[in-house]
Amino acid sequence: MATETDTETGTEVESGSASVFDYERREQLLKYGLYVVAGALLVFLWIPLAVMMFLSFAVNASTIFPFKGFTSAHYAATFADGALLTAVWHSVQIATLAAAVATVLGVLASFALARYDFPLKETYRTFGILPMVIPGVVLGIALLIYFRTLLPQLFGIVIVPGFWTVVLTHSVYGFPFVVLMVTARLYTFDESLEEAARDLGADPLTTFRDVTLPIVAPAIGAGFLFAWIRSFEDFIRVYFVKGTLNVLTTSMFSMIKYGTAPKMNAISSLIVFAIAVVLAVAMNVGNVTGMVAGTEGEGE
Amino acid sequence: MSTETSGRGEASTRERFVGAFNSRASKLGITALPGLTWLFLLLLAPLTFMIAVSFVSVDTLTYQIIWEPTLENYQGLFSGTGPFWETAFFQSLMLSYGIAAVTTVLCLVLAFPLAYLLARRSGRTFKIVIFLVLLPFFTMYLVRAYSWYLMFGPSGVLNRTLLKLGIVDGPIAAFNFGVPAIIVGLTHAYFPYMLLSLYASLDGLDFSLVEAARDLGASRVGALKDVILPLALPGIISGSLFVFVPSLGAFITPRFLGQGKVLMIGQLIEERITSLYAIGFGSAASMFIVLSIVVAFALAFRYVSIEELGGV
């Protein structure tokens, strides 16, 4: 094997010329190198957001120089914008409804996938994950054509694009997030706990309520949260199926398009603050990293 | 429903409910069917219909569909004044592939060291770093695209700052809107997907294997190549998919960071659909995105299972 010769020559060189001191120094350098890369990445992730937050308090809201001083006027203007607040309210309503539907459907489907065997199970699983994978542009257009052309022309069903079409769209978009979280939890679930409850005389419903649900609940919560966030931050799917409705993202889109930076900076910064608080709480309550990374690590 | 107050009526509902779970068919019906119906009505039907629309023509005045199979839409994508590789669609498709590929590689290269570090460390620092990575990830996509929009441009923060500090005399072209700006924006947007996928696979990795390899005389590069990379492969593949696929169909980022200089495929489709309701063109063009994704996933499934893909 080619690799074997590679490593052999590698050791020869190392043991021949490098002393222990050199080895340690290199190890140190590598370690610091890794830290430097990690630090640079965090800077990369944070610099645009930090600049945006800074600008949300600056008199000149579009760029740092020339700097003209601090103000909270942009925040005041944002809170005084009724249309924007209505859009936020729509977003919250849609996200909550859609995530609730996605959670109910997703939890049921997760039990089917994790507990029972049925024909075409893998196909079902693949289809269940599809809404998450299909680019927003494609899903948005497919649903737009569906709502506007197929349903009226072929079936005579008229659903005017608006609030409910967005809820329907997001309920299907949020479905995979719930399924992934809950099935992951169900697979690591020790079913003998349920059997023990049954042996001790609990009926299936009691077993579900007292044993299964408490164990699966964090995953259901995480699934709901994910579906909620996905719906709240989605722009492209709403954009196609929204009709004349305005939600937060579509309002923001027109703000950027027509160059009203002050309010956009303020509302964006508020969102970052809000998410920071929620995330900090979530990370101290549950295993967020495990949930996000899909490794249902028990060690927390 | 509280069980303490279980009267006769409730007990029977309860029995009926429990009884419903006794047969295999009803178990499946209750659990799998609602989701299936939803997926069928709101995913399968629209997508199938979209495929159909890409093969039929649409009356341009009434938007009525003329149900006769035709390849008109596909021909329309590739026909213009010049040869097919000069058409707007082909150019935008290739540009999108290029941008998505570069973004994926960039994410991989940037995320690997950090994922490795996170997998090896734990405790308080780890928590803070994870928080700092996750916060931008959970922050709205639109907000992140916008924050880069502030940075770029002839009078954006980057150029203005450099000018102010006297480092440059005029705006730098690299910081103007265009392909580099889009790649930066997309890398920022999808980097966390890659990081978390990599972290998920590296976290489960037994690092004593690396030590063993080193003890047996493997060089650092050798251990990385022969031990870490093969074991991290599922994470690399799923991370790449979750960066490549959304980058390919990106819309907001090229819209704001390209400022009309760059037309990615997602934008091209959106433009035709919203301004002309050209659903034939849009459907046919979308098929190229769908097809690319199918191919990407088919390739990925040779190395990883669907559960492993579910990372993010």
Side-chain angles (χ1 to χ4, degrees):
Chain A
M1 255 206 299
T3 45
E4 244 167 68
T5 48
D6 277 358
T7 47
E8 265 167 38
T9 48
T11 9
E12 260 173 325
V13 171
E14 214 166 278
S15 57
S17 64
S19 67
V20 180
F21 177 73
D22 268 352
Y23 176 79
E24 273 183 1
R25 232 182 92 168
R26 270 168 59 191
E27 202 81 338
Q28 281 280 317
L29 270 176
L30 202 74
K31 203 172 123 190
Y32 287 125
L34 220 50
Y35 283 133
V36 169
V37 172
L41 275 168
L42 287 179
V43 170
F44 167 68
L45 284 180
W46 273 95
I47 209 135
L49 293 172
V51 166
M52 186 186 70
M53 289 182 189
F54 175 84
L55 289 176
S56 75
F57 291 106
V59 173
N60 179 358
S62 55
T63 188
I64 292 181
F65 298 108
F67 179 67
K68 290 174 185 158
F70 292 108
T71 175
S72 61
H74 305 319
Y75 284 91
T78 306
F79 283 115
D81 187 336
L84 185 64
L85 296 183
T86 313
V88 174
W89 176 230
H90 285 152
S91 281
V92 171
Q93 283 175 303
I94 287 168
T96 309
L97 281 170
V101 174
T103 305
V104 171
L105 298 173
V107 169
L108 289 174
S110 305
F111 274 92
L113 287 171
R115 293 286 171 81
Y116 313 131
D117 269 319
F118 53 92
L120 296 177
K121 184 168 150 177
E122 288 313 306
T123 316
Y124 186 33
R125 194 198 302 275
T126 311
F127 264 110
I129 297 185
L130 212 55
M132 178 178 95
V133 174
I134 288 206
V137 173
V138 176
L139 189 63
I141 291 173
L143 282 161
L144 171 74
I145 301 173
Y146 183 67
F147 289 133
R148 271 188 51 179
T149 309
L150 178 72
L151 288 180
Q153 271 185 33
L154 293 189
F155 303 113
I157 307 166
V158 180
I159 308 179
V160 181
F163 187 85
W164 290 106
T165 51
V166 181
V167 172
L168 287 176
T169 304
H170 281 174
S171 69
V172 92
Y173 177 45
F175 181 78
F177 298 102
V178 181
V179 170
L180 285 172
M181 299 267 167
V182 179
T183 47
R185 189 74 182 171
L186 284 174
Y187 281 131
T188 57
F189 182 99
D190 186 359
E191 270 186 71
S192 59
L193 287 173
E194 283 185 353
E195 281 157 28
R198 299 292 302 277
D199 285 346
L200 293 170
D203 68 32
L205 208 59
T206 315
T207 312
F208 179 78
R209 195 196 58 201
D210 290 347
V211 179
T212 317
L213 197 60
I215 296 176
V216 186
I220 298 178
F224 178 87
L225 200 66
F226 251 74
W228 197 95
I229 289 176
R230 290 296 160 180
S231 164
F232 190 76
E233 75 161 6
D234 173 55
F235 166 76
I236 192 75
R237 293 165 195 81
V238 193
Y239 183 64
F240 284 112
V241 301
K242 78 188 180 72
T244 55
L245 182 84
N246 256 331
V247 300
L248 176 61
T249 45
T250 55
S251 304
M252 282 175 145
F253 182 79
S254 27
M255 276 186 191
I256 307 173
K257 205 165 136 190
Y258 301 113
T260 44
K263 280 187 206 166
M264 182 64 196
N265 289 338
I267 187 109
S268 303
S269 305
L270 283 173
I271 286 164
V272 177
F273 292 140
I275 290 170
V277 173
V278 173
L279 187 63
V281 171
M283 278 183 78
N284 281 313
V285 171
N287 180 8
V288 175
T289 20
M291 291 291 184
V292 173
T295 51
E296 204 63 14
E298 297 299 317
E300 243 292 62
Chain B
M1 248 201 306
S2 84
T3 43
E4 279 74 18
T5 59
S6 60
R8 191 171 286 268
E10 210 216 323
S12 67
T13 357
R14 208 183 153 92
E15 272 159 25
R16 255 186 283 137
F17 188 77
V18 172
F21 273 92
N22 282 338
S23 91
R24 210 186 83 92
S26 56
K27 262 182 199 169
L28 267 182
I30 292 171
T31 53
L33 217 54
L36 190 65
T37 316
W38 219 251
L39 288 174
F40 182 80
L41 284 177
L42 291 164
L43 185 75
L44 203 57
L47 285 179
T48 315
F49 184 62
M50 190 186 208
I51 297 173
V53 169
S54 77
F55 287 106
V56 298
S57 54
V58 180
D59 191 315
T60 44
L61 291 175
T62 59
Y63 301 132
Q64 290 281 326
I65 291 165
I66 302 153
W67 290 103
E68 275 170 31
T70 166
L71 283 173
E72 208 174 89
N73 296 318
Y74 290 92
Q75 281 161 358
L77 295 179
F78 293 107
S79 60
T81 44
F84 78 90
W85 59 85
E86 278 178 15
T87 56
F89 176 75
F90 187 80
Q91 300 242 321
S92 124
L93 187 66
M94 288 303 126
L95 185 70
S96 304
Y97 280 136
I99 289 176
V102 173
T103 304
T104 309
V105 172
L106 211 57
C107 282
L108 185 60
V109 171
L110 292 176
F112 203 88
L114 188 56
Y116 179 81
L117 201 66
L118 288 177
R120 306 276 343 233
R121 300 280 180 280
S122 58
R124 206 178 153 73
T125 332
F126 165 82
K127 259 198 155 176
I128 293 171
V129 172
I130 276 285
F131 178 79
L132 289 176
V133 172
L134 284 183
L135 187 48
F137 174 63
F138 280 117
T139 302
M140 292 164 78
Y141 180 90
L142 190 64
V143 168
R144 289 189 282 153
Y146 169 70
S147 69
W148 280 110
Y149 170 73
L150 288 172
M151 302 292 282
F152 283 100
S155 59
V157 171
L158 288 173
N159 267 327
R160 281 285 179 89
T161 309
L162 288 182
L163 278 173
K164 180 78 184 176
L165 296 176
I167 298 172
V168 293
D169 300 327
I172 303 186
F175 291 156
N176 282 353
F177 296 117
V179 173
I182 293 175
I183 289 174
V184 170
L186 288 175
T187 305
H188 188 257
Y190 299 122
F191 168 82
Y193 287 80
M194 180 68 88
L195 181 77
L196 293 168
S197 292
L198 288 178
Y199 171 70
S201 64
L202 284 177
D203 192 39
L205 195 150
D206 185 357
F207 280 96
S208 59
L209 290 174
V210 181
E211 278 157 35
R214 299 276 286 141
D215 283 346
L216 292 171
S219 66
R220 216 173 259 110
V221 178
L224 180 73
K225 197 179 74 184
D226 294 337
V227 180
I228 300 179
L229 283 186
L231 289 171
L233 197 64
I236 295 173
I237 289 172
S238 64
S240 300
L241 270 184
F242 282 107
V243 174
F244 183 82
V245 168
S247 302
L248 191 64
F251 169 73
I252 299 176
T253 306
R255 177 83 163 67
F256 288 120
L257 296 176
Q259 286 293 309
K261 289 181 199 161
V262 185
L263 198 63
M264 278 179 79
I265 182 165
Q267 273 173 290
L268 183 70
I269 298 174
E270 181 272 340
E271 218 168 65
R272 297 289 181 89
I273 287 274
T274 48
S275 63
L276 303 167
Y277 199 59
I279 60 176
F281 178 92
S283 304
S286 298
M287 286 309 120
F288 284 84
I289 302 186
V290 173
L291 205 68
S292 317
I293 295 166
V294 171
V295 171
F297 271 84
L299 286 174
F301 278 145
R302 297 171 68 170
Y303 301 98
V304 293
S305 71
I306 194 159
E307 281 89 0
E308 285 174 304
L309 278 185
V312 193

